[in-house]
Amino acid sequence: MAKLQIEAVELQNRSVLVRLDLNAPLKRGSVDEEPGVADDSRLRAALPTVKRISNAGGIAILMSHLGRPGGTIKNELSLRPIARKLSELLGQPVTFVPALVGETARQAVSDAAPGDVILLENTRFYPGETTNDSELADQLAELADIFVNDAFGTAHRAHASTEGVARRMQTSAMGMLMDKEVNNLSRLLSAPEKPFIGILGGAKVSDKIALIEQLLLRVDFLLIGGAMAYTFLKAQGHEIGNSMVETDFLDMAENLLAAAADRLILPVDHVTSTSFNNDVGSNVSDVDIKPGEMGLDIGPETRKIFREHIFQAHTLVWNGPMGVFEMSNFSAGTLAVASAIAEVTDNGAFTVVGGGDSVAAVRGAGLADRISHVSTGGGAMLEFLEGKILPGIDALSDVNV
Ligand code: ADP
Ligand code: MG
């Protein structure tokens, strides 16, 4: 069984309700101007599916969440500025509708002609969205003939606009971005070309334990940096000073090290500081960190070791920065890893980067175009790679292949 894809659906003269991830950061406008879009990459990622529907003579009825309004109307989280930007990127009008369901939404849909694009209001203005309320899902399902889910970033949540509506429609298909995400991420799970290198970092081990366990089943080496490395180093008996540590996970780290020590590559040195601050200077420490210091980035020798492993890869996945990359004193490790991944991609490796902060680091360094696949999913990508079934995908129509 596979999931129905939008390419296989007749769209002409059909109304198509599309769940997108248009959750783009906004920037404030001048006094009487509405806010603008600070980063339009999520909007650009949504264009292929919208264009396909419009070009095929369907009516594209778009919906998305934006921020966390918590089930109430927050004017500053209206999708109106998103509609304006989307219209600019599409090169055609996008009619903004100040409601998601009900008479206003129904009227807007019935006023639309084939080829038109309309954008409904923030799904999370409605308390029934995140509770997957059946009444809200019913109302959404009444709006259109066909449902398309193209919001990979929320596919791990069973919400009314993702899972609930999909189950209620006769035809629920995967959009083009969702399809691209699933294809690329599946390449990491089924027969990845070896050597396969995994790189994990970021703030917490606890967020990523299931992923560490799953990756260890598949990778040749797993490089661990970021704050999570200190839980492993402490479990090995190293001094970690005031570095971040999750004491509840020391036993688990010890078990993982016992099972896979030769494949888990940990930092051998660090960039440290006496406080979580870019203005008090930084030091380089060997593997044991002095009391009073905290590890905030991988050190120069570790950068070298990590880069050498990365250059061996034919397949690679990276999630989580190697240090506090937001501060210039502690960004070198993350940048070294990002540029090594770009180089190995240039040489033909298949590489995937995901996670909000990791992707921000790659984009900030101008390297996104030199990575095979930059995932639009943070949590969704992690759960996919953990082997979990994502409810937003599971609810789509099955087809025989
Ligand atoms: P992603 O969003 O890519 O999944 P995470 O959210 O897990 O990544 O982690 C990113 C955060 O981890 C960043 O804000 C970064 O500053 C922080 N971080 C990385 N290394 C350290 C460290 N050594 N000490 C404290 N925080 C760290
Ligand atoms: Mg993050």
Side-chain angles (χ1 to χ4, degrees), residues 208 321 355-358:
K208 296 178 185 174
D357 294 290
S358 314

Side-chain angles (χ1 to χ4, degrees), residues 11-205:
L11 300 167
Q12 195 177 10
N13 294 324
R14 311 296 292 283
S15 52
V16 188
L17 180 64
V18 191
R19 178 57 158 95
L20 299 171
D21 177 4
L22 303 177
N23 183 28
L26 299 179
K27 57 182 180 220
R28 292 175 69 89
S30 58
V31 185
D32 46 37
E33 204 188 304
E34 67 186 38
V37 174
D39 174 358
D40 65 10
S41 35
R42 287 200 168 131
L43 277 60
R44 289 180 188 276
L47 295 179
T49 291
V50 180
K51 280 185 182 157
R52 180 171 197 99
I53 296 165
S54 170
N55 292 343
I59 300 170
I61 308 156
L62 314 180
M63 62 176 167
S64 174
H65 70 289
L66 179 63
R68 294 170 181 257
T72 57
I73 296 173
K74 292 235 165 81
N75 287 329
E76 68 277 16
L77 291 175
S78 169
L79 281 161
R80 189 184 291 275
I82 303 280
R84 188 157 42 85
K85 185 68 190 181
L86 194 61
S87 161
E88 197 183 301
L89 296 172
L90 273 173
Q92 80 171 90
V94 173
T95 306
F96 174 71
V97 181
L100 176 67
V101 288
E103 192 43 39
T104 311
R106 274 197 299 275
Q107 189 61 48
V109 173
S110 70
D111 288 347
D116 283 358
V117 178
I118 67 183
L119 176 61
L120 304 173
E121 185 55 287
N122 196 338
T123 55
R124 292 193 189 162
F125 282 0
Y126 296 75
E129 163 70 333
T130 55
T131 59
N132 201 2
D133 176 62
S134 58
E135 209 173 304
L136 180 60
D138 285 342
Q139 285 179 296
L140 285 169
E142 280 161 19
L143 283 178
D145 304 318
I146 295 162
F147 174 67
V148 170
N149 191 350
D150 210 21
F152 180 71
T154 52
H156 59 315
R157 304 270 182 246
H159 289 169
S161 71
T162 61
E163 201 265 5
V165 64
R167 295 237 180 255
R168 284 165 172 79
M169 305 283 285
Q170 182 77 38
T171 306
S172 292
M174 197 182 265
M176 297 171 81
L177 173 65
M178 182 79 93
D179 186 40
K180 187 171 119 189
E181 289 278 4
V182 169
N183 278 329
N184 280 314
L185 298 180
S186 298
R187 277 181 72 176
L188 300 173
L189 296 180
S190 52
E193 201 187 312
K194 301 271 190 165
F196 181 12
I197 306 293
I199 311 170
L200 288 179
K204 292 196 198 147
V205 190

Side-chain angles (χ1 to χ4, degrees), residues 229-347:
Y230 298 104
T231 300
F232 284 92
L233 290 171
K234 190 173 168 71
Q236 276 186 330
H238 287 293
E239 299 298 332
I240 59 162
N242 292 336
S243 307
M244 254 176 90
V245 61
E246 288 170 275
T247 32
D248 291 352
F249 290 91
L250 286 170
D251 285 347
M252 209 238 25
E254 206 172 328
N255 292 340
L256 285 169
L257 284 162
D262 52 332
R263 295 190 298 128
L264 272 172
I265 311 295
L266 295 171
V268 297
D269 62 352
H270 319 275
V271 179
T272 63
S273 179
T274 51
S275 71
F276 194 83
N277 188 327
N278 203 38
D279 301 323
V280 299
S282 63
N283 303 303
V284 171
S285 159
D286 68 11
V287 66
D288 290 294
I289 297 175
K290 283 196 295 239
E293 297 265 326
M294 60 179 83
L296 296 175
D297 194 10
I298 57 174
E301 184 59 26
T302 307
R303 293 203 289 269
K304 219 174 105 209
I305 295 169
F306 279 21
R307 287 174 65 91
E308 278 161 10
H309 276 94
I310 292 167
F311 292 136
Q312 307 295 314
H314 285 188
T315 307
L316 181 146
V317 61
W318 177 31
N319 167 265
M322 296 293 100
V324 185
F325 74 102
E326 300 93 333
M327 300 182 193
S328 58
N329 285 342
F330 314 108
S331 64
T334 300
L335 293 175
V337 162
S339 68
I341 296 174
E343 274 178 61
V344 79
T345 314
D346 292 343
N347 292 335

